[in-house]
Amino acid sequence: MNTRLIAARVLSRVLQDGQSLTAALDNALQAVESSKDRAFIQALCYGVCRQYHRLDFILSQLLDKPLKDTDVKALALVGLYQLKFMRVKPHAAVSETVLATRKKPWAKSLINAVLRTYLREQEGLEEKADKEQTAAASHPEWLIKQIEQDWPEQAQKILLENNQQPPMALRVNLSRTSRDHYLQALMDKDIAAVAVSFCPSAIMLDKPVPVDLLPGFAEGLVSVQDAAAQLAAELLDVQPGHRVLDVCAAPGGKTAHILESQSQLKELVAVDIDESRMQRVSENCQRLNLQAKLVVGDAANPEGWWDGKPFDRILLDAPCSALGVIRRHPDIKLLRRAEDIKPLQALQKNILQAVWPLLAPGGLLLYATCSILKQENEQQVQVFLAEHDDAVELSIEADWGSAGKCGRQILTGESGMDGFYYARISKQ
Ligand SMILES: C[S@@+](CC[C@H](N)C(=O)[O-])C[C@H]1O[C@@H](n2cnc3c(N)ncnc32)[C@H](O)[C@@H]1O
């Protein structure tokens, strides 16, 4: 099947049905045999999501009235994306995209006209897009406002970073090998990479590579994980004999890292509400040969799964807006709505309150999100501290991110990392 048509159908699932790009792509790519075609479809889909608000503005300038057919609209966006952002020859981009209208002959002349007019009027259209805020930043208006409100000085940089392709970062399994040895193994395979100075397990690759080309991946020597997410294990400060609770654990990146970093835990209990995502925790643990007690349950209702024994450490990697990982999931800009934030904030608060009694006196809870919004981060923790006399914040002194009113925030792109937030709360 025509690769542009597959990409347009994937985008249509996102735009019309609200499906995540990862799920829609995984599904569509199963039927595509050539790895070159798969890479092209992926580049089109991620690219269109990253540039959606710009491309959509330009498309609106090229049409008399909005396109109701989402498949055809998605195809027009795929066409425009190639012309503006890819090195595909313009005549090939136009003719191949027009060919993809085969099943909807009525759309053939429309797509043809849109793409050819764009090529003729490109300069003027792009100038117009540069003057329109949502198009210029390629973000929805509510999100631009929200980022400007929370981070007035850094907002422009955050918006730019959100539209970049993120680096591929690896977590070396330090219980099996050293980072220097692994860097050498990468060098032997001509994979260029550097160590991340402030995170002992992290490596950043110059260019992304398929995981099956990574030495020792199947044997568990290494995992793919952003450096910001790798900071959790160290901040949790797990010691031999500890009972650790990892709430909201799936797909298990941090679960595995905690287990790799301390082989003498008494027990690690990993809880997540989503059974299918929990399956991925199980697969990750299997590949890495790690043991955890996996529980499918609601973190906001521990009565359903807690055995009554306190934990020395709790990691709460809370469900959040994920606005710190837009680089990796650009469909967030299309799917997330301003009104999603308050319910997420309420859920975070519920879970935080519900798991606090499970922590032993003297124990430590690490609150984490992959968000850059203050409501989900420092404001959430501030309210919690004010409402709990037995909770004390332990400040995080580090050479990454920046300290806020409480906790520490990494803004998207800082030191190449995803946007992340951490706060350490100890129990008196
Ligand atoms: C940010 S992700 C966790 C990522 C994970 N800690 C890791 O490092 O791989 C948030 C998780 O919270 C889970 N979740 C959402 N609501 C929950 C609830 N009420 N109880 C337990 N888990 C929940 C989601 O299923 C999702 O897997």
Side-chain angles (χ1 to χ4, degrees):
M1 203 199 278
N2 181 311
T3 47
R4 276 104 177 153
L5 181 56
I6 298 174
R9 286 190 176 161
V10 167
L11 289 164
S12 204
R13 295 284 74 75
V14 178
L15 293 171
Q16 190 165 283
D17 309 337
Q19 214 177 344
S20 80
L21 178 57
T22 319
L25 248 181
D26 279 356
N27 203 6
L29 291 184
Q30 276 170 20
V32 182
E33 269 173 28
S34 141
S35 58
K36 206 168 142 222
D37 284 351
R38 281 203 298 272
F40 184 62
I41 294 165
Q42 198 159 333
L44 284 174
C45 292
Y46 274 84
V48 169
C49 286
R50 282 200 178 98
Q51 297 301 334
Y52 176 81
H53 295 85
R54 184 177 192 95
L55 298 170
D56 192 38
F57 171 82
I58 288 175
L59 181 60
S60 72
Q61 304 295 302
L62 292 164
L63 295 168
D64 297 331
K65 51 182 188 328
L67 258 175
K68 286 201 187 113
D69 187 309
T70 316
D71 289 344
V72 176
K73 176 177 173 172
L75 197 54
L77 298 174
V78 162
L80 290 171
Y81 180 75
Q82 294 165 78
L83 296 177
K84 163 83 177 152
F85 293 101
M86 282 181 128
R87 269 184 275 166
V88 183
K89 292 211 166 63
H91 65 270
V94 174
S95 61
E96 289 295 319
T97 308
V98 169
L99 263 183
T101 59
R102 245 185 333 228
K103 291 212 167 136
K104 293 189 178 170
W106 63 267
K108 186 175 170 184
S109 55
L110 185 136
I111 295 284
N112 195 30
V114 160
L115 299 184
R116 287 186 192 283
T117 313
Y118 173 76
L119 282 174
R120 271 198 313 276
E121 299 173 9
Q122 183 165 10
E123 207 174 313
L125 286 163
E126 295 294 347
E127 272 174 22
K128 237 175 161 177
D130 285 336
K131 290 191 186 117
E132 216 270 341
Q133 197 186 30
T134 55
S138 197
H139 275 66
E141 194 182 348
W142 74 268
L143 186 49
I144 297 176
K145 287 214 173 88
Q146 185 71 64
I147 294 174
E148 284 177 339
Q149 182 188 307
D150 279 18
W151 303 102
E153 283 166 28
Q154 300 88 341
Q156 283 315 310
K157 171 117 194 333
I158 296 171
L159 294 170
L160 279 174
E161 289 288 349
N162 281 347
N163 292 343
Q164 303 303 311
Q165 286 189 36
M168 182 169 178
L170 304 180
R171 181 186 82 236
V172 179
N173 184 347
L174 298 179
S175 69
R176 302 267 308 275
T177 183
S178 74
R179 179 162 71 176
D180 285 348
H181 270 111
Y182 197 78
L183 279 165
Q184 185 59 50
L186 287 174
M187 224 155 60
D188 293 345
K189 296 245 171 200
D190 286 329
I191 300 175
V194 287
V196 177
S197 61
F198 48 82
C199 183
S201 52
I203 283 180
M204 269 199 215
L205 302 185
D206 281 11
K207 277 194 287 190
V209 297
V211 288
D212 44 0
L213 296 185
L214 293 171
F217 179 81
E219 296 78 49
L221 284 192
V222 77
S223 301
V224 177
Q225 190 178 41
D226 191 77
Q230 294 184 46
L231 297 167
E234 201 172 337
L235 290 171
L236 197 60
D237 185 30
V238 283
Q239 302 294 330
H242 272 169
R243 265 195 107 215
V244 180
L245 174 64
D246 180 3
V247 257
C248 306
K254 298 184 192 71
T255 315
H257 193 194
I258 295 165
L259 291 165
E260 284 170 5
S261 69
Q262 179 50 260
S263 60
Q264 292 173 51
L265 293 180
K266 189 165 190 186
E267 186 178 35
L268 187 148
V269 180
V271 180
D272 201 282
I273 202 162
D274 185 327
E275 194 168 356
S276 60
R277 281 172 67 84
M278 207 45 164
Q279 184 53 35
R280 296 191 43 210
V281 185
S282 167
E283 287 159 14
N284 271 328
C285 285
Q286 250 168 36
R287 179 178 65 88
L288 297 161
N289 195 20
L290 298 167
Q291 311 292 329
K293 182 175 171 191
L294 306 187
V295 178
V296 176
D298 181 357
N301 282 302
E303 310 82 69
W305 47 266
W306 186 40
D307 60 8
K309 293 185 203 141
F311 293 95
D312 305 289
R313 295 286 183 268
I314 296 181
L315 168 62
L316 169 50
D317 192 11
C320 70
S321 62
L323 295 178
V325 292
I326 285 177
R327 305 184 304 173
R328 298 191 190 278
H329 303 284
D331 50 323
I332 289 173
K333 292 191 292 178
L334 281 63
L335 299 176
R336 186 68 72 216
R337 303 275 172 260
E339 54 274 22
D340 296 341
I341 307 299
K342 280 226 147 49
L344 280 167
Q345 214 183 336
L347 177 61
Q348 290 152 5
K349 184 171 182 175
N350 278 345
I351 297 179
L352 196 44
Q353 279 179 343
V355 297
W356 183 246
L358 280 56
L359 186 65
L364 175 74
L365 181 145
L366 179 65
Y367 177 81
T369 73
C370 56
S371 172
I372 56 162
L373 295 189
K374 293 190 176 175
Q375 304 156 67
E376 300 182 272
N377 296 342
E378 66 173 37
Q379 287 168 12
Q380 184 74 266
V381 175
Q382 269 184 311
V383 170
F384 181 80
L385 292 171
E387 290 176 352
H388 292 79
D389 289 344
D390 56 350
V392 178
E393 196 214 346
L394 298 182
S395 70
I396 301 171
E397 307 297 332
D399 44 8
W400 48 261
S402 52
K405 289 194 178 119
C406 57
R408 214 167 170 90
Q409 179 74 56
I410 301 161
L411 294 177
T412 315
E414 277 181 8
S415 310
M417 291 190 282
D418 287 342
F420 242 87
Y421 174 81
Y422 287 110
R424 281 158 45 107
I425 308 171
S426 88
K427 194 174 209 172
Q428 301 232 295

